[in-house]
Amino acid sequence: MIERGALAGALDGVGHDLRGPLGVVLGNVEVLREGILGPLPPGAEAHLAAIEAAGRAFLARLDGALAELAGPRDPPGAPVGLAAATAPGPDPAGPPARLRVLVVDDVAGDVVADLLRARGHEAHVAVAGLPGLARAAALGPDVVLLDLGLPDLDGLEVARRLRALPGGADLTVLALTGRDPAEVDGRGLLDGVLGKPLGGSALAAALAAALAAAR
């Protein structure tokens, strides 16, 4: 019989592998719908809305199926900071300053960076933990958006090393995860945990909330 911990870990891996590519698709849909790449041709909005609805419905069914297979889990540690929903909400006024944001994500980094640039922020991308640490040391970002499922290092280990950099204690670090954000215990390392796929409105709200809390 498969041990419960091993099963839960395997199912988390399955969820991450499925959510990552779908998150890229949904992120690109939002980029198109917001007109970042230019105006849409007639009829495109309805098709994009249908793609987004189908993608989010699949994610809901995936989460339900994985939860049923895994069974009850041990109570997780208290969630840190904020836990942003994946569904977009109304755009807040947001922080007035132009932020320098480093996105460390091997799958959806470019999509998230496009959403940030569309809102006037400076965005940089690293596709793994070690390059992300090097870029953070060189850039001195205001915010790091950190995928927890990186190919080289565990995301929480990257967060730990970020905190050890000069000025790292004051850095705003928001984790990105395909898991339930409430299951991520990053106390002392993370300022918030955001669920994937991440829309532009949810991203703007998360930045505003995290930075307001840090002031």
Side-chain angles (χ1 to χ4, degrees), residues 29-195:
V29 166
E30 180 147 0
V31 167
L32 291 170
R33 294 185 73 185
E34 292 191 4
I36 294 171
L37 302 180
L40 294 173
E45 171 65 28
H47 291 299
L48 292 172
I51 292 171
E52 181 176 7
R56 295 195 181 279
F58 173 82
L59 286 173
R61 293 187 65 182
L62 173 66
D63 289 341
L66 292 178
E68 185 175 348
L69 285 169
R73 297 188 178 218
D74 295 328
V80 299
L82 58 98
T86 57
D91 265 327
R98 181 173 186 256
L99 298 173
R100 176 177 294 171
V101 184
L102 173 62
V103 184
V104 186
D105 192 318
D106 60 318
V107 176
D110 288 334
V111 173
V112 175
D114 283 343
L115 293 172
L116 288 164
R117 293 180 186 120
R119 284 162 172 74
H121 300 303
E122 177 186 340
H124 303 265
V125 179
V127 297
L130 291 175
L133 290 166
R135 298 214 73 181
L139 290 169
D142 302 302
V143 179
V144 174
L145 297 175
L146 175 63
D147 182 24
L148 295 182
L150 295 169
D152 57 347
L153 294 175
D154 176 75
L156 292 178
E157 175 59 26
V158 176
R160 189 173 291 109
R161 298 188 191 187
L162 284 170
R163 293 301 185 197
L165 293 174
D170 298 323
L171 181 63
T172 296
V173 181
L174 301 176
L176 306 175
T177 180
R179 298 163 51 192
D180 180 353
E183 294 180 3
V184 178
D185 186 1
R187 287 171 290 184
L189 297 175
L190 304 175
D191 296 292
V193 183
L194 312 178

